[in-house]
Amino acid sequence: MGRTVTRRELLRMGTGLAGGAAVGLCSLGASMPTPRATDAYGVWFAAAEAAKARGDWASMEAALLRALRQGAGDEYAWRSLAWAQMLQGKWRDSLTSARRNVARNGETSWSLAQLYESAMAAGDVPLARRALDAELRLPAANRDRGLAAERAAFRAATHRTLYELSWQLKPAEYQLQSGEVVINTPYRRHVWQSASLRVEGARTCRTEAIDGRDVMFVDAGGAEEVTLRARVTHQPAVRGGAFAERTTGPGCPPSMTSLLGRFRNRVDYDPSDPELLKVVKPLADGRPGERVQAILDWIAANIRYEDGYPDDLASILKSRKGVCHHQSNLMVAMCRAAGVPALVAHGVRLPSGEATFTDVVASHGWVEVYLDSRWVGVEPLNPHSLRAFGSGCLAVDATGHGVGNDHFEMYTPDGRRIEGIQGVPVSGTARILD
């Protein structure tokens, strides 16, 4: 799948809690104030600071709660509590703490910024908007930081993004089959994506829907280079923490039971594998969306992003390491084992928000799950992606419709191999639509 992107890059590109850019509020500005180590409040506050430094949000929350039992706590302490709860997916607690912070300590840029983040994690878009609007009305004395990043993230999370994209294709680098180059292109219509495509510099070009893919047949007519252009619109989704709890039904209608079985993505994956079932069994309770969220949380806690490891199921479970396609294949197998239909999605990770980019090579894989009679995008590298899925995942394929539906071995009905464009540099612009 070419170059993959790291968990940190994905969060920076915009797959975070707010569906745009997850702003780590405790990491902005000064660190925690130096505690008074001689009193109980100071001791627990110091413990919270140490937990924050090692990324242990549960221990940070626990220490802050102990500290706040010893003293009233200031704005920073309550904001930090809401932030630690948010990063654990405790969206109700986070929203309660953020509201309590505003009520106890008043409206400032910092307190309203955390209220915005907690509201987005909860899926309460109107409250998030009100928090940002309230910050604009603050007197100068209470505006202790700017919220430009949050406002940009909010727009990216709640508005469609229009991408104008171009790829420079060299026909000599592709297999000539019956006089044509055969490539799979971005989906013209998909879960969150609509696109129009055209090719410049070729003699002829046509696009056909084949086996759930959009496939382009290009007769370059001897041209050394042709340009594929795409105008793509992405619709982000802020679903919030309650989404998983609201999902209904068994998770798989009878017509889709085939999407609970084995699939192939270069190698075979079997959801009935005994070692996999040992992992999935404790995660398979509750509503379908709750199972998906439990799987996302398990992957975040147990799988480390690291390249250079085999991508078969047994190896992933043993090493607990892998990049995007390892984690996506594993998640699909886990979801199917938990009774939720799932597919491995393939494409390119584009910048989100307003951007201009040149020669981006960010081949990527993620997951689509079937919840409440619709397909939903999730990012195995981001445990918060069921709550908010942002723009930027340019979909070209979704693998898993049976063992023969392999992204790495795609063919037309007449036996021609379908080649991909994921490794080809893409340039373009991203613009948020009002």
Side-chain angles (χ1 to χ4, degrees), residues 205-422:
C205 174
R206 71 184 189 282
T207 303
E208 298 180 9
I210 298 176
D211 194 23
R213 303 180 175 97
D214 283 331
V215 181
M216 184 172 284
F217 299 81
V218 180
D219 178 356
E224 294 184 358
E225 187 173 87
V226 299
T227 302
L228 169 62
R229 296 195 185 277
R231 183 180 172 90
V232 185
T233 302
H234 277 184
Q235 177 65 61
V238 179
R239 294 182 281 260
F243 172 75
E245 300 172 8
R246 289 196 304 263
T247 55
T248 59
C252 182
S255 62
M256 301 185 71
T257 54
S258 63
L259 296 182
L260 298 181
R262 290 162 54 96
F263 65 98
R264 183 173 180 81
N265 203 26
R266 186 160 37 210
V267 298
D268 291 339
Y269 294 87
D270 184 0
S272 66
D273 178 88
E275 294 302 313
L276 181 73
L277 292 177
K278 290 179 185 177
V279 173
V280 172
K281 185 177 180 180
L283 312 174
D285 293 331
R287 297 175 181 269
E290 292 174 314
R291 295 175 231 160
V292 173
Q293 185 60 58
I295 290 168
L296 282 167
D297 291 339
W298 185 92
I299 290 173
N302 293 278
I303 306 297
R304 192 168 77 190
Y305 189 98
E306 190 172 325
D307 204 355
Y309 292 87
D311 56 1
D312 62 283
L313 187 57
S315 296
I316 298 171
L317 290 173
K318 181 179 180 180
S319 71
R320 302 289 175 97
K321 297 174 183 175
V323 293
C324 63
H325 70 274
H326 295 78
Q327 299 191 36
S328 296
N329 292 332
L330 173 63
M331 182 172 179
V332 169
M334 292 178 73
C335 286
R336 292 186 177 200
V340 179
L343 298 170
V344 182
H346 304 264
V348 178
R349 192 67 181 91
L350 299 172
S352 62
E354 304 281 345
T356 299
F357 45 93
T358 303
D359 292 339
V360 169
V361 181
S363 179
H364 189 50
W366 60 96
V367 171
E368 295 171 13
V369 292
Y370 193 77
L371 296 171
D372 275 358
S373 303
R374 57 186 166 126
W375 287 101
V376 172
V378 290
E379 172 55 75
L381 304 184
N382 178 8
H384 308 290
S385 58
L386 184 61
R387 303 178 189 109
F389 192 79
S391 298
C393 287
L394 180 69
V396 302
D397 187 30
T399 300
H401 297 279
V403 176
N405 183 232
D406 186 346
H407 171 77
F408 297 94
E409 293 289 338
M410 302 180 291
Y411 294 92
T412 64
D414 61 0
R416 288 185 280 178
R417 180 165 185 168
I418 303 169
E419 299 185 77
I421 62 168
Q422 283 179 260

Side-chain angles (χ1 to χ4, degrees), residues 166-188:
S166 65
W167 293 261
Q168 301 303 122
L169 305 179
K170 298 180 179 179
E173 296 178 353
Y174 291 84
Q175 183 180 358
L176 193 64
Q177 303 175 86
S178 301
E180 296 175 311
V181 170
V182 184
I183 56 175
N184 82 308
T185 64
Y187 280 116
R188 290 173 291 181

